[in-house]
Amino acid sequence: MKSTINIIGSGFSSLAASCYLAQAGYEVTVFEKNKTIGGRARQLHKEGFTFDIGPTWYWMPDVFERFFSDFGKKPSDYYALEKLNPAYSVYFGKNDFITIEDTLEKIALAFEKEEKGSSKKLNKFIVKAKNNYDIAIKDLVYNPGVSPLELVTPATIKKINQFFSTIKKDVRKEFKNERLVKILEFPVLFLGAKPSDTPSFYSFMNYADFGLGTFHPKKGMYQVILAMENLAKELGVKIKTENPVDKIIVDKGKAIGILSNGKEYLSDITVSGADYHHTETLLEKPLRQYSETYWEKKTFAPSSLLFYVGFDKKLKNVNHHTLFFDVDFDVHAEAIYDNPKWPENPLFYASFPSITDKNSAPEEKEAGIFLIPLAPGLEDTDALRNTYFDKIITRFETLTSQNVRKDIIFKESFCINDFIKDYNSYKGNAYGMANTLMQTAFLRPKLKSKNVGNLFFTGQLTVPGPGVPPSLISGKLVADLVTKHHSVLA
């Protein structure tokens, strides 16, 4: 008889884990609290518009390829991928922006135009970043974070200094132009920490950005979730939506099942891809590995205030991905990490998927997604949301030299309270736990519970960290650990 596994949650890491575990011969059932699967990567459909509610950036295509190839498949078996050109643009003032195109050669030309001699420095910087990428993504991140020795390889020993310097120091040592500095510091924001707190080694994100490029799956990021669902079902995984898990059932120190909608579902092993802190509240207090104090002391990646806006016309002077860095990043970062509060003048990001993808909006209309990074745990009210929408739309109109307010058909918002309600997210964080030096690899919450047998975790609060590609990898890591652990017990 097959061993059974219950998986809590249906985000990227849970679905990845379900595929690997079903392939390994387990009978797998996924339990999702919401009506649709995908965790943070759901979609909003309204009046002919389609918005990705969560992730909108498709980076590191090789990680997706590696995932599907583990099952003899390719991403193209499930969805069509388009490389964006331009990848994105960055506004620094009114009609003042830098466009990042689709090849390193073109990006180097844009840098050179901005600062003489910078193209040469950029090429050197990206060679180093690529080297880090090859070490990290092809090797290090596929370790389960069990031991510090995982980080000790001949390649990493040569780079030991890069774990003790920071992205901010490295970038500013080479580049003096403040605008270029901001562009080079931007990718590490996906890791959830300030460039001044992110080890230099993470420059591999710059290679992901400039070396590999930015892609868009036709019909949106949710196509990746649907692809994983199809693959999971092909492998025999059962998925139950509208099944919130209220308790992890423990007997004689081992997880033996879950309680959902008043019904017990017994299993040999339980894996949770739900929020790690929340998952531990499904256990009796003495069985939890990490105290409230532990979580309080951790550096969490930001939450977000998001707006999904339907416009009654096509917009000008924007790209599919557009960043607005016309205000002081350090002041905004301080309001996220050092002195948590609503920022006076926030940086923001906007995505207009309908520029690339006609499926996103009705003809001659535009779908806009706006995101303001925020400290988790802040007060979240409708009045605050409306105030900040006014702030960014006013700036958006000025910076891009167009009037759009009168062309808004509707706007929907999503913020801290929604992250808590929909995803049981700790303090309403959006991206998990930041990848700072003291929260890297084996220093992150563990994939396997040390207090409860047969209980495992996956997702952005454990290894390797925040982001979609790391979540896919996390699913593989936990599946490997379960298989290894189970074969030892057998």
Side-chain angles (χ1 to χ4, degrees):
M1 204 170 118
K2 282 185 175 181
S3 295
T4 54
I5 295 184
N6 287 334
I7 297 182
I8 305 170
S10 67
F12 285 105
S13 57
S14 291
L15 289 177
S18 77
C19 292
Y20 284 112
L21 289 165
Q23 185 188 48
Y26 294 94
E27 192 177 299
V28 182
T29 307
V30 172
F31 293 81
E32 167 56 53
K33 77 185 280 285
N34 293 312
K35 282 181 184 173
T36 57
I37 63 160
R40 284 164 166 77
R42 296 179 298 152
Q43 277 190 327
L44 167 68
H45 301 277
K46 185 165 181 172
E47 295 181 34
F49 292 81
T50 300
F51 304 89
D52 280 313
I53 290 178
T56 52
W57 292 79
Y58 191 107
W59 271 11
M60 303 184 186
D62 50 325
V63 174
F64 295 86
E65 283 158 18
R66 183 165 170 177
F67 169 75
F68 285 106
S69 73
D70 284 343
F71 304 92
K73 304 281 187 182
K74 303 187 294 294
S76 58
D77 293 333
Y78 298 98
Y79 53 89
L81 207 54
E82 181 179 342
K83 189 173 190 183
L84 295 181
N85 185 31
Y88 56 91
S89 54
V90 186
Y91 269 88
F92 297 99
K94 185 173 181 176
N95 302 325
D96 176 17
F97 56 88
I98 294 176
T99 299
I100 300 300
E101 293 189 69
D102 62 340
T103 67
L104 184 55
E105 290 71 29
K106 292 178 193 169
I107 297 164
L109 286 174
F111 267 55
E112 191 62 29
K113 197 173 157 192
E114 194 65 30
E115 181 186 318
K116 202 166 168 48
S118 64
S119 60
K120 207 172 170 183
K121 288 177 183 174
L122 178 67
N123 284 318
K124 217 168 120 187
F125 186 80
I126 297 298
V127 166
K128 200 168 161 185
K130 181 187 186 306
N131 189 251
N132 287 353
Y133 190 90
D134 289 343
I135 293 166
I137 304 302
K138 292 175 184 172
D139 184 14
L140 282 189
V141 294
Y142 285 90
N143 284 317
V146 172
S147 158
L149 296 176
E150 292 168 3
L151 292 178
V152 183
T153 69
T156 55
I157 287 166
K158 288 178 193 165
K159 292 180 175 286
I160 193 73
N161 293 341
Q162 288 192 42
F163 286 93
F164 297 100
S165 184
T166 67
I167 291 287
K168 184 171 184 168
K169 278 183 193 164
D170 279 20
V171 167
R172 286 166 191 269
K173 196 163 63 186
E174 296 297 333
F175 299 89
K176 302 297 170 243
N177 181 296
E178 214 30 64
R179 291 144 67 97
L180 299 184
V181 164
K182 282 183 178 178
I183 290 170
L184 286 166
E185 288 181 346
F186 148 68
V188 302
L189 300 180
F190 285 109
L191 301 170
K194 292 190 290 186
S196 56
D197 291 333
T198 305
S200 302
F201 184 71
Y202 285 102
S203 69
F204 64 72
M205 293 296 289
N206 293 104
Y207 175 70
D209 180 3
F210 290 177
L212 295 174
T214 304
F215 295 78
H216 173 74
K218 191 177 177 186
K219 298 188 180 177
M221 284 291 285
Y222 197 65
Q223 293 306 302
V224 186
I225 290 291
L226 295 178
M228 295 174 79
E229 178 190 29
N230 284 339
L231 176 59
K233 286 180 173 174
E234 286 165 26
L235 292 161
V237 175
K238 294 187 193 77
I239 298 175
K240 292 176 176 287
T241 52
E242 296 184 89
N243 265 263
V245 174
D246 304 309
K247 186 182 177 184
I248 295 170
I249 305 162
V250 179
D251 183 45
K252 293 174 186 164
K254 287 182 178 173
I256 60 159
I258 58 167
L259 183 70
S260 175
N261 291 339
K263 187 177 171 186
E264 288 188 355
Y265 295 88
L266 300 182
S267 63
D268 298 302
I269 286 165
T270 302
V271 175
S272 179
D275 178 275
Y276 204 124
H277 169 270
H278 168 73
T279 303
E280 289 221 309
T281 67
L282 305 177
L283 297 164
E284 301 293 333
K285 255 190 182 169
L287 298 175
R288 298 172 194 172
Q289 300 175 91
Y290 303 108
S291 65
E292 288 299 319
T293 312
Y294 170 89
W295 295 110
E296 278 290 336
K297 286 180 177 171
K298 292 295 159 192
T299 302
F300 270 79
S303 185
S304 300
L305 169 55
L306 291 135
F307 295 102
Y308 311 99
V309 186
F311 291 98
D312 203 12
K313 67 175 183 183
K314 298 305 282 180
L315 303 190
K316 300 180 301 184
N317 306 328
V318 288
N319 287 312
H320 184 124
H321 295 299
T322 309
L323 304 163
F324 294 87
F325 283 8
D326 55 307
V327 298
D328 192 322
F329 169 75
D330 289 334
V331 174
H332 186 170
E334 192 182 312
I336 297 173
Y337 298 103
D338 306 323
N339 179 24
K341 61 181 179 183
W342 282 81
E344 191 62 38
N345 294 305
L347 283 80
F348 65 99
Y349 151 69
S351 172
F352 303 97
S354 44
I355 289 174
T356 306
D357 193 338
K358 66 178 187 340
N359 300 285
S360 299
E363 207 171 332
E364 291 309 308
K365 294 179 175 20
E366 204 86 89
I369 300 165
F370 295 83
L371 181 153
I372 301 172
L374 294 173
L378 296 179
E379 179 192 18
D380 168 18
T381 64
D382 286 344
L384 279 164
R385 294 186 190 197
N386 289 330
T387 298
Y388 277 80
F389 184 73
D390 284 343
K391 280 188 187 218
I392 63 170
I393 284 297
T394 301
R395 266 172 50 210
F396 178 81
E397 289 186 316
T398 304
L399 293 165
T400 64
S401 298
Q402 63 188 318
N403 295 318
V404 300
R405 205 181 286 264
K406 67 182 188 321
D407 300 294
I408 293 172
I409 303 167
F410 64 83
K411 77 171 195 312
E412 297 282 341
S413 64
F414 197 95
C415 196
I416 290 165
N417 293 347
D418 302 299
F419 280 102
I420 293 168
K421 178 173 69 75
D422 288 3
Y423 312 130
N424 296 310
S425 167
Y426 180 71
K427 290 188 174 180
N429 80 81
Y431 304 103
M433 195 186 278
N435 261 338
T436 59
L437 179 62
M438 297 311 292
Q439 293 181 178
T440 291
F442 68 96
L443 296 169
R444 295 179 73 78
K446 302 297 182 199
L447 289 165
K448 182 178 181 299
S449 172
K450 63 176 190 280
N451 293 348
V452 179
N454 298 341
L455 175 60
F456 296 81
F457 301 84
T458 186
Q460 54 189 9
L461 266 72
T462 180
V463 289
V468 176
S471 293
L472 292 181
I473 294 166
S474 190
K476 178 178 171 60
L477 294 178
V478 78
D480 289 347
L481 209 58
V482 166
T483 309
K484 194 173 160 191
H485 166 77
H486 208 225
S487 65
V488 168
L489 291 183

